[in-house]
Amino acid sequence: MTQTTDAVDAASTPSGPGRTRIHRAWFVAAVTFVTIIGAAAFRSLPGLLIDPLHQEFHWSRGTIGAAVSINLALYGVTAPFAAALMDRFGIRRVVAVALLVIALGSGLTVWMTEAWQLLLCWGLLVGLGSGSMALAFAATVTDRWFTARKGLVTGILTAASASGQLIFLPVLSWIVTEHDWRPAAVTVALAALAVVPFVWLLLRDHPADVGLKPYGAAEFVPKPAPVQGAARRAVTVLLSAVRTGPFWLLAGTFAICGASTNGLIQTHFVPAAHDHGMPITAAASLLAVIGVFDVAGTIASGWFTDRFEPRRLLAVYYALRGVSLLFLPMLMSSTVHPPMIFFIVFYGLDWVATVPPTLALCREQYGEDSAIVFGWVLASHQIGAALVAFLGGVARDAFGSYDMVWIASGALCAVAAMMALVIRRRPVAPVLSVRTAL
């Protein structure tokens, strides 16, 4: 059946008078979108677990935050190696194994009794699996299947994570509130498992596998041979990239991006709102609304990236995010009121709008190694997120509130806006590709 389907997909001629067949790249993008949505379930859960785990096991918020930090750090550090592994073994195999690891780590948490088990299951296993499902996955699919519309596709695939948050956050918060946190962890494991068949049966590694040109390409692109030495290639690309100024500016701005989103709002918004008397379900619903507007904001950012200068877009995004965070301490209360809703909408539009212009700058500067370079830039994003996930919990334990964390993060966003403007406009000489060197 696969051969028949592929043969049909290879045809690019109209299927009837005046009708044109939809390019297979869009179906691959759709499968990737669904896959990222399914894997996004695990990203919706950490903020909901802080209070239940603290109450049941009497672990400090700093200890629980440490597990989230390990998860976020591995999510980033694994990404460049995952991009190289996709070049070696193919997208389908890497993503399918990653989903299975996520399911294993999440499922094992229901039997944990000690803090080190949380660090192992949620920190190590889910972190490694999620790292292979990071934005480097979306970047690899986009680079292989699309020549035109790359900014738009990047925005759509980036929005998939927010869509998963929209779907799973209300459900998981209701499960945690009504049935404890363990059924929620099982739900995450089942969601990851449910996506595996879609990946294995419907995803294809390269347009050449089905006899097609990439979308928008003028010529057929042969499938490259598997690249040996995936880990060595990832490290070699990093060593080449760190010699260039734009890499450090991109990594620095994206570290602040992670600190002010995944590490801050996604991890600590729910417990911070609960500190002010807001029910967990209400706070989680607000976080889900961020996901709603994140979808619109990220897709719009991809459209803007195809038309405007990426570094200026980044400066605007970070400046607006910083201003909104400075106002957040004044908006916290026990009820959902209009100013808080305005913050949620405003912040949601800017949540990961930074991804399409950051990825565009990576492509501009580093050519065919851009997916791996972006993986390392993403690693800095997650390291920033990991630090704030941990330090935010420590600050809450020490000061009894999150106010200082919001203000410090807002100031960091102002720094990121200035760093974005410093990135040189003229492309540097592309980093020497290590494909032939290996």
Side-chain angles (χ1 to χ4, degrees):
M1 179 176 291
T2 301
Q3 292 178 346
T4 302
T5 303
D6 292 347
V8 171
D9 287 325
S12 57
T13 56
S15 57
R19 298 177 60 189
T20 302
R21 184 181 299 278
I22 298 175
H23 196 284
R24 176 67 177 265
W26 294 107
F27 292 101
V28 171
V31 173
T32 304
F33 187 89
V34 172
T35 302
I36 296 175
I37 285 179
F42 73 89
R43 300 186 65 189
S44 304
L45 194 56
L48 303 177
L49 293 183
I50 293 178
D51 284 337
L53 293 179
H54 174 70
Q55 294 170 6
E56 178 172 339
F57 298 108
H58 305 292
W59 298 335
S60 71
R61 290 177 175 83
T63 298
I64 301 168
V68 179
S69 295
I70 294 173
N71 179 296
L72 292 172
L74 286 176
Y75 179 90
V77 173
T78 305
F81 296 97
L85 286 172
M86 289 177 189
D87 285 341
R88 174 66 179 89
F89 297 106
I91 298 173
R92 284 198 302 173
R93 293 178 181 177
V94 173
V95 173
V97 171
L99 288 167
L100 292 174
V101 172
I102 291 172
L104 176 64
S106 182
L108 288 176
T109 59
V110 301
W111 289 290
M112 67 183 180
T113 56
E114 302 290 338
W116 67 266
Q117 295 167 341
L118 176 66
L119 300 177
L120 174 64
C121 294
W122 200 261
L124 180 62
L125 291 178
V126 177
L128 287 174
S130 61
S132 300
M133 292 293 303
L135 292 174
F137 168 42
T140 301
V141 170
T142 304
D143 286 345
R144 290 187 182 185
W145 281 88
F146 291 87
T147 299
R149 306 295 186 185
K150 282 189 175 184
L152 176 62
V153 175
T154 300
I156 292 173
L157 295 183
T158 303
S161 180
S163 299
Q165 177 177 294
L166 166 65
I167 294 170
F168 287 106
L169 254 178
V171 175
L172 292 176
S173 64
W174 178 81
I175 293 174
V176 169
T177 301
E178 299 295 329
H179 302 286
D180 198 22
W181 62 270
R182 288 179 177 82
V186 173
T187 301
V188 171
L190 293 177
L193 286 175
V195 180
V196 174
F198 289 93
V199 171
W200 194 254
L201 296 176
L202 301 177
L203 196 61
R204 293 293 179 269
D205 292 330
H206 196 277
D209 290 340
V210 290
L212 290 175
K213 297 180 294 185
Y215 179 81
E219 299 178 354
F220 181 83
V221 179
K223 183 178 181 179
V227 178
Q228 303 293 329
R232 181 157 56 95
R233 183 184 175 215
V235 173
T236 304
V237 169
L238 173 64
L239 294 177
S240 298
V242 295
R243 300 189 185 101
T244 64
F247 174 81
W248 292 106
L249 292 169
L250 289 168
T253 55
F254 224 38
I256 294 173
C257 178
S260 56
T261 53
N262 301 83
L264 182 67
I265 297 296
Q266 189 163 29
T267 303
H268 294 294
F269 179 80
V270 171
H274 191 55
D275 283 347
H276 288 78
M278 184 178 293
I280 290 178
T281 51
S285 297
L286 288 176
L287 204 55
V289 172
I290 287 180
V292 176
F293 289 93
D294 181 27
V295 173
T298 307
I299 294 175
S301 178
W303 187 86
F304 290 146
T305 302
D306 286 332
R307 291 162 175 79
F308 301 103
E309 189 181 339
R311 71 187 190 110
R312 294 188 182 276
L313 290 175
L314 284 179
V316 171
Y317 295 157
Y318 285 122
L320 293 176
R321 182 184 299 176
V323 170
S324 67
L325 285 172
L326 293 177
F327 282 98
L328 184 56
M330 297 179 284
L331 303 179
M332 288 289 185
S333 71
S334 60
T335 60
V336 179
H337 50 86
M340 175 60 81
I341 295 175
F342 178 80
F343 168 83
I344 293 297
V345 173
F346 187 87
Y347 199 85
L349 291 171
D350 197 10
W351 178 264
V352 287
T354 55
V355 173
T358 300
L359 183 50
L361 288 169
C362 285
R363 291 194 186 107
E364 176 184 281
Q365 303 287 345
Y366 303 107
E368 66 179 30
D369 290 327
S370 61
I372 294 178
V373 173
F374 179 71
W376 286 113
V377 172
L378 178 63
S380 71
H381 180 282
Q382 295 307 114
I383 290 172
L387 286 173
V388 172
F390 172 67
L391 294 176
V394 172
R396 170 60 178 80
D397 289 333
F399 301 109
S401 76
Y402 287 97
D403 289 355
M404 291 186 64
V405 183
W406 308 132
I407 295 171
S409 297
L412 283 175
C413 288
V415 174
M418 292 185 286
M419 291 173 65
L421 290 175
V422 176
I423 300 173
R424 69 178 70 181
R425 297 180 62 181
R426 181 175 59 84
V428 299
V431 176
L432 176 64
S433 174
V434 297
R435 288 180 181 271
T436 55
L438 296 176

